[in-house]
Amino acid sequence: MRTTTVSILSVMLVVTLAASPSSARTLDGTLKLGGIIRNQTGDRSAVQETFNVYDGFSVTELLLNGMMDPRDYVSLDLQEVNLDSRRGDFVFRRPGALKLTAGFDQHRQIFSPDGAINSKRKDWRVGAEVTPIRWVALTGSFDSQTRDGDRLPFPLGTVSSLGTQYDNALRSGEVAAQFDKDGRGAAVSYRASRYTDDLDQSTDRSGQVVSARLYSPSHFLGNWTHLLRAAYGVHRLSNRDLDYTLTNLQYTGVLQAARALQLRYRFEGNRVDDQATRLKTDRFENDADATYYYRYGQFSGGYGYETNDDDQTLTSYNTWRAGTIFRPGKYLDARVDYVSRVKKDQEDLTLLKDIDASQIRAKLQVRPRDELALGAGFSRREREFTTIGVDLKGDEFNAFGRYAYPGWGALSSDYSYSTDDYRDLTAGFHVRSHIVTARADFERLKNLRLGGGVTYLDIRRDLSIEKTLVFVEGTYTLQNDYHLEVRYNVYNYDDYLLLDRFYTANVLRLNVAYDLHLR
């Protein structure tokens, strides 16, 4: 796969180069070669940031950007192509006529302390957009996601019904046509997907969705815009002869009722028809918003009502929203918003029954000078399961600062403190956490760039976890086109309630880079 990955993306660039006049080609980029040295100890499944770090020689990056002729732009970015962490992206664009894209990446997930139980996921993406005439766009895309490797049983020490391995694939594609002219437009699309699992064929399934949308200003009121969308889909379990159909209808209307007042209404109707149970589930949602704009900001508010009826249970949801933005100038920005959502199980048949949830957020940012930014924020979230006697509450406070001094560098820092409390009929669970991040960049010395940063996480009360991420990096430029790059990372994790749950890693990356200029 590693050869195929590099070859396909590179061939696309070569074909593009061959199709353009040589006198018009202008490509600039960078080639980086280097190595990765990693030293680690402890539970390798504890820190996700190191899952995709591999030792050894690395073709770190091949980056090319440029013009094929005055009309065309091309970009190729390949990273760590000889390692199992490889990824790449390709873009070719002729504005107003053609756009081609392709991409690949793969990622490892580690489940066991020794790293022996792991899986790999590989993602392919290709797409094209053709504009035969100015107001018509034709698009197509295809995605392929595969996953193979080992699966960790749950609970540990048991034989899981899900098996001990992954070997599945999800492939999907879409074609669409869009028309836009004189403030009016329409689009139609077809999307198909198929999931296959070679180890459990009973989960194989496929689906197709056809959709269409139309938007246009009103023939009677030019300040009233309509958007209508309809979709029909079929989902089928391939080996069990089970399927259901999905029908969806959406309407959105936006009315500029006055110069400073905008009204918005949205309706969505959805039906799921399960052929196996002969059960039809209908979901209807009505949503209305109003926004008032004034010289220094805006006020907004809205209400939504939703019902969910499957012929056996009727559930309704009421949602309220309100918010404001105050921005008297570019040096001050203040925001507050509130949302509340109430679920009513009118027949008392759902698992969680009635639910009341709300959240309030406030944020303030000030810029006393162009190079300095300071800010703070607060949020409170609550959720109560009134019938079964369970509630969750959480508060979060954060503050940040940014300072940039031209010619010298920049400093930045963030801090957040949060509390989460869970209570049921018999016990509770309480967590307090602190997260601190800081970064510094220094560029005063000619041809030398230095940087460093730290992230510290501390979780206490019913948990006792500490996690620290530190990095130091530097780049030195020789003769304009040559660069020496060094980056050193330290990862540390400790769970003081589980004696064997710790991890420490030191990762050193060394690269030599050369700036390419192809004419």
Side-chain angles (χ1 to χ4, degrees):
M1 173 60 75
R2 70 178 62 182
T3 302
T4 303
T5 303
V6 179
S7 299
I8 293 179
L9 294 176
S10 299
V11 165
M12 295 184 73
L13 177 63
V14 171
V15 171
T16 305
L17 288 170
S20 64
S22 59
S23 60
R25 301 172 191 162
T26 302
L27 288 176
D28 295 312
T30 302
L31 173 63
K32 293 183 183 180
L33 303 176
I36 301 174
I37 302 173
R38 181 185 60 182
N39 181 21
Q40 60 182 353
T41 182
D43 187 341
R44 299 186 184 184
S45 65
V47 176
Q48 295 187 10
E49 288 84 353
T50 62
F51 287 175
N52 231 30
V53 176
Y54 295 86
D55 293 290
F57 170 75
S58 171
V59 181
T60 306
E61 185 173 24
L62 172 60
L63 175 64
L64 293 173
N65 293 298
M67 307 294 293
M68 310 313 301
D69 62 36
R71 297 175 301 167
D72 301 336
Y73 167 81
V74 66
S75 174
L76 176 68
D77 187 6
L78 304 177
Q79 300 183 34
E80 298 183 357
V81 293
N82 66 310
L83 300 177
D84 284 340
S85 54
R86 58 192 155 295
R87 53 200 179 275
D89 289 285
F90 171 82
V91 176
F92 172 80
R93 181 184 295 114
R94 176 172 291 178
L98 176 66
K99 180 180 179 181
L100 302 175
T101 60
F104 173 84
D105 66 79
Q106 70 177 45
H107 182 80
R108 176 175 60 177
Q109 188 80 17
I110 296 177
F111 304 109
S112 63
D114 61 357
I117 300 178
N118 61 80
S119 68
K120 291 182 181 179
R121 172 174 163 170
K122 302 175 183 178
D123 296 348
W124 265 107
R125 307 170 301 278
V126 294
E129 179 178 335
V130 180
T131 309
I133 55 179
R134 186 174 182 180
W135 49 276
V136 177
L138 307 176
T139 62
S141 64
F142 176 77
D143 301 329
S144 175
Q145 302 176 5
T146 61
R147 186 174 186 180
D148 57 51
D150 305 314
R151 184 196 298 265
L152 190 68
F154 182 82
L156 293 176
T158 66
V159 178
S160 174
S161 60
L162 298 175
T164 59
Q165 289 185 310
Y166 292 98
D167 191 359
N168 57 55
L170 173 62
R171 296 181 173 88
S172 60
E174 182 176 21
V175 292
Q178 182 170 326
F179 312 87
D180 298 278
K181 191 174 183 180
D182 299 329
R184 294 172 171 82
V188 292
S189 67
Y190 170 76
R191 182 174 182 83
S193 64
R194 182 173 180 82
Y195 174 87
T196 58
D197 190 336
D198 290 344
L199 302 177
D200 186 3
Q201 297 182 2
S202 65
T203 63
D204 291 357
R205 54 190 181 270
S206 61
Q208 298 87 36
V209 177
V210 178
S211 65
R213 68 178 185 272
L214 173 69
Y215 68 89
S216 173
S218 172
H219 291 286
F220 305 102
L221 295 174
N223 55 353
W224 187 359
T225 302
H226 308 276
L227 172 63
L228 183 65
R229 182 182 183 274
Y232 177 81
V234 178
H235 188 87
R236 178 174 291 106
L237 285 173
S238 305
N239 297 298
R240 295 192 176 183
D241 198 27
L242 300 176
D243 62 86
Y244 65 83
T245 60
L246 168 69
T247 307
N248 180 269
L249 178 66
Q250 299 177 25
Y251 168 78
T252 301
V254 179
L255 174 63
Q256 198 70 36
R259 183 176 181 181
L261 180 62
Q262 184 183 88
L263 304 177
R264 177 180 174 273
Y265 169 74
R266 184 175 70 89
F267 167 80
E268 181 173 354
N270 191 77
R271 164 168 283 192
V272 177
D273 188 353
D274 192 328
Q275 302 297 320
T277 61
R278 299 185 181 277
L279 186 65
K280 296 180 176 64
T281 302
D282 295 319
R283 173 179 165 271
F284 299 98
E285 182 178 357
N286 291 272
D287 206 277
D289 288 278
T291 303
Y292 174 75
Y293 301 90
Y294 69 106
R295 180 179 179 182
Y296 299 119
Q298 67 181 59
F299 296 100
S300 60
Y303 170 74
Y305 179 71
E306 177 185 339
T307 60
N308 196 14
D309 185 2
D310 63 4
D311 294 336
Q312 296 184 17
T313 61
L314 177 62
T315 306
S316 64
Y317 301 83
N318 290 273
T319 304
W320 293 268
R321 297 176 299 275
T324 183
I325 298 175
F326 179 62
R327 191 187 298 116
K330 68 176 183 178
Y331 296 114
L332 176 64
D333 188 303
R335 301 166 183 254
V336 179
D337 62 76
Y338 172 80
V339 61
S340 174
R341 183 173 173 85
V342 177
K343 170 195 171 186
K344 292 296 182 181
D345 180 357
Q346 299 185 19
E347 298 178 9
D348 202 30
L349 294 176
T350 63
L351 179 63
L352 300 178
K353 301 184 172 53
D354 293 354
I355 302 175
D356 292 351
S358 65
Q359 177 175 276
I360 184 170
R361 298 181 301 180
K363 182 179 180 180
L364 174 66
Q365 178 175 315
V366 295
R367 297 185 61 187
R369 301 174 61 180
D370 288 340
E371 64 271 17
L372 177 63
L374 302 171
F378 173 79
S379 67
R380 167 167 291 179
R381 53 197 180 278
E382 298 180 355
R383 179 173 296 182
E384 183 178 3
F385 303 84
T386 55
T387 308
I388 60 177
V390 175
D391 65 70
L392 301 89
K393 296 181 180 179
D395 293 332
E396 181 178 3
F397 170 80
N398 63 79
F400 67 88
R402 308 278 190 274
Y403 180 71
Y405 190 79
W408 283 82
L411 298 171
S412 62
S413 180
D414 295 80
Y415 168 74
S416 68
Y417 168 76
S418 63
T419 65
D420 292 282
D421 298 297
Y422 166 84
R423 178 185 61 84
D424 60 21
L425 295 177
T426 59
F429 187 78
H430 312 281
V431 174
R432 301 289 184 271
S433 64
H434 303 265
I435 303 176
V436 180
T437 65
R439 179 186 176 102
D441 294 284
F442 180 75
E443 55 186 29
R444 179 62 176 173
L445 300 179
K446 184 179 180 180
N447 297 330
L448 179 65
R449 297 179 62 90
L450 301 174
V454 60
T455 298
Y456 173 73
L457 168 66
D458 179 60
I459 305 176
R460 297 297 174 181
R461 295 197 70 178
D462 290 338
L463 295 175
S464 184
I465 295 174
E466 286 187 3
K467 182 178 179 180
T468 306
L469 308 176
V470 180
F471 80 91
V472 179
E473 62 184 9
T475 302
Y476 184 69
T477 300
L478 300 169
Q479 299 179 356
N480 296 324
D481 291 337
Y482 296 89
H483 312 277
L484 300 177
E485 299 181 350
V486 179
R487 183 181 176 99
Y488 176 64
N489 292 81
V490 179
Y491 305 89
N492 189 73
Y493 177 92
D494 287 291
D495 187 336
Y496 294 103
L497 299 182
L498 300 175
L499 297 180
D500 58 347
R501 185 71 167 172
F502 71 94
Y503 177 79
T504 298
N506 296 271
V507 179
L508 178 64
R509 293 176 173 87
L510 302 171
N511 290 307
V512 177
Y514 173 67
D515 290 338
L516 303 171
H517 306 284
L518 306 177
R519 299 291 187 268

